[in-house]
Amino acid sequence: MIYLDNAASSHPKPDAVYRASDLALRIGANPGRSGHIGALQAARIIHDAREEIAKLLNAPDSARVIFTQNATHAINLALKGFLKAGDHVVTSTMEHNSVTRPLHALSQDGVAVTAVSGGAGGVIDPQKIEDAIGPRTRLVALTHASNVTGALLDLDAVGEICGRRGVELFLDASQTAGAVPINVAASKVSMLAAPGHKGLLGPQGTGFLYVAPGISLTPLMEGGTGFLSESREMPEELPERLEAGTMNTPGIAGLLAGVEHILTRTVENIREHELAITRHILENYRKVDGLLEYGPADPEKRVAVFSFNLGERDGAHVGYVLDEIYKIAVRVGLHCAPDAHKTLGTFPRGSVRASFGPFSTIDDAKTLLAAFGEIAKIK
Ligand SMILES: Cc1ncc(COP(=O)(O)O)c(C=O)c1O
C-alpha cells in the first residue's frame, strides 16, 4: 500500500512512537495526580512533550502548550475561549470545518464573522485580511496551509498586519506543524492549534493549543487538575487552567517521540524532502491527459497536499480504483472544507486528494501519476 493520506493522519510513524506509547501504557499511572514513582514518570513524559513542542515552535514558555484530543479540540478552545459577543473575527473561505463550524456557532451568539475569499490556488491575500479588519476586530483566524490545495499563508505578512492593527492572530497549523518551520514568537502568533497525529507523527487522540503570553482564555471544560483541589474555580495557572481531567499519557508519550524524531531530522530537512516531491508532481502532472490540479504553481508557496480531478470522472470512482487496483490510499470528497471547494469551483464535486509525508518518496509520486495516466486511458 502506498499511503498518500498524510493530511488526514500521518502513516507510518517512526518506530520510537509505537514503543513510547506502549511503554507509557505499561507505566499506567496518572500524571500529576499522585507522588508515587509511576505518577512521576508519567508527569515527566507530559512535561518533556510540552518542552519539545515549545522548542519546535520557538515558544517562550512550555507551560503555555495545552494538550488536547486533536486540532479541532484546540481550535474550539481557542475560538470559544477568546471571542465574546460583540467581537469581530476575520477568517477565510479556505478554512476547515473545525474553524468554520465553531465560528458559525459563535456567530449565533453575537460574534461577527467576516470570511475573506481565497484567491487562485486557495491563496489568501494578506491585504484583503487587513482590509477586513475593523474597530471591533479582536482576532484573525486563519489556516497556515489549506488542507485542500496546500496553499501556504504568508504568515509573516499577516503577523505584521495583526501586530500593527492591534489584533490577535490565531493560526490553524494542522497541515504545517512538523512540515514547515514555524517560529511563533517571530511571526507574532497569539494562538496556534495543531494535531499531534499528522505532521508531528504522534498517535491519534493527540493535539495541542499554544497560547502566547498575555492571552487569557475561558476554559472549555472544568474539572480535576490535581492541585488547588479545595477551590470550586479552575486554577489561574497554565496549563492546568485549560486541561481538566486525566491526560492521554500514552498518546502524548508517542507524540513526544514523534516530535523528537522531527527535531533530530529537522523540520528544514522534512520541508526540503516534501518540496522535492511537490516539484516532481508540479512538473509532471500535466503529462496525464485531463488531470487537473488546483493548488499554487510555485512549490515554495504550498505544502505537499494536492487536489486532483481527472476530467469529468467521478472522484469517488477514481479513489476506489486507486485503492483497489493500484493500492494507493488517497482521500476523495470535500475534505471537511466545503467553502474551500466553493472558492475553487469544485463544489459539490470535491477532488481526489493525495497528501505526502516525511516517509513518502518521489517514487510514490511517480506511481500515483502513472496510475492516473492509466485510469485516464480507460474508456
Ligand atoms: C486545516 C485543518 N484544520 C483542522 C483539522 C482538524 O484536525 P483534527 O482531525 O486533528 O481535529 C484538519 C484535519 O484534517 C485540517 O486539515
Side-chain angles (χ1 to χ4, degrees), residues 68-90:
T68 59
Q69 290 166 28
N70 46 41
T72 303
H73 178 191
I75 293 165
N76 273 266
L77 176 57
L79 299 179
K80 293 177 180 167
F82 185 76
L83 291 166
K84 308 278 173 293
D87 291 345
H88 175 235
V89 52
V90 177

Side-chain angles (χ1 to χ4, degrees), residues 22 34 55 77 86 90 102 105 126 139-140 169 177 186 194 242 257 265 305 337:
D22 181 81
S34 315
K55 201 186 290 176
L77 176 57
V90 177
L139 188 69
V140 166
L169 173 59
L242 302 174
R265 181 166 162 185
V305 173

Side-chain angles (χ1 to χ4, degrees), residues 6-9 69-75 94-99 143-148 172-176 193-198 205-207 331 335-337 353:
N6 289 278
S9 261
Q69 290 166 28
N70 46 41
T72 303
H73 178 191
I75 293 165
M94 295 309 293
E95 306 307 310
H96 189 278
N97 271 342
S98 58
V99 170
T143 186
H144 193 193
S146 163
N147 67 313
V148 176
D172 174 2
S174 293
Q175 296 300 336
T176 54
H197 62 99
K198 301 189 203 261
T206 60
R331 178 166 170 194
H335 317 105
C336 301
R353 186 182 74 180

Side-chain angles (χ1 to χ4, degrees), residues 118-156:
V123 176
I124 298 163
D125 180 354
Q127 187 55 51
K128 286 194 179 166
I129 299 295
E130 171 143 33
D131 294 346
I133 293 175
R136 286 196 299 136
T137 312
R138 278 186 74 218
L139 188 69
V140 166
L142 294 172
T143 186
H144 193 193
S146 163
N147 67 313
V148 176
T149 67
L152 268 170
L153 182 69
D154 186 343
L155 177 56
D156 287 339

Side-chain angles (χ1 to χ4, degrees), residues 151-200:
L152 268 170
L153 182 69
D154 186 343
L155 177 56
D156 287 339
V158 173
E160 187 278 321
I161 290 167
C162 290
R164 181 162 42 76
R165 300 292 300 269
V167 173
E168 306 300 344
L169 173 59
F170 165 81
L171 194 69
D172 174 2
S174 293
Q175 296 300 336
T176 54
V180 175
I182 298 176
N183 184 325
V184 285
S187 300
K188 302 189 179 61
V189 175
S190 313
M191 290 175 276
L192 179 146
H197 62 99
K198 301 189 203 261
L200 297 180

Side-chain angles (χ1 to χ4, degrees), residues 239-319:
E240 290 84 0
R241 180 170 178 73
L242 302 174
E243 282 179 351
T246 297
M247 310 292 288
N248 175 7
T249 311
I252 293 168
L255 175 56
L256 167 58
V259 174
E260 280 172 339
H261 175 94
I262 291 164
L263 286 169
T264 305
R265 181 166 162 185
T266 77
V267 181
E268 287 74 14
N269 177 288
I270 292 171
R271 173 75 179 144
E272 267 317 308
H273 177 79
E274 294 185 5
L275 267 173
I277 295 172
T278 301
R279 284 190 204 102
H280 180 85
I281 299 251
L282 294 179
E283 283 161 15
N284 291 286
Y285 82 89
R286 285 192 196 80
K287 295 177 189 160
V288 177
D289 209 17
L291 190 60
L292 298 168
E293 199 278 330
Y294 299 95
D298 180 351
E300 303 283 345
K301 300 215 159 111
R302 60 183 296 161
V303 294
V305 173
F306 303 86
S307 265
F308 295 106
N309 270 312
L310 195 47
E312 293 306 311
R313 277 164 210 269
D314 176 31
H317 186 250
V318 173

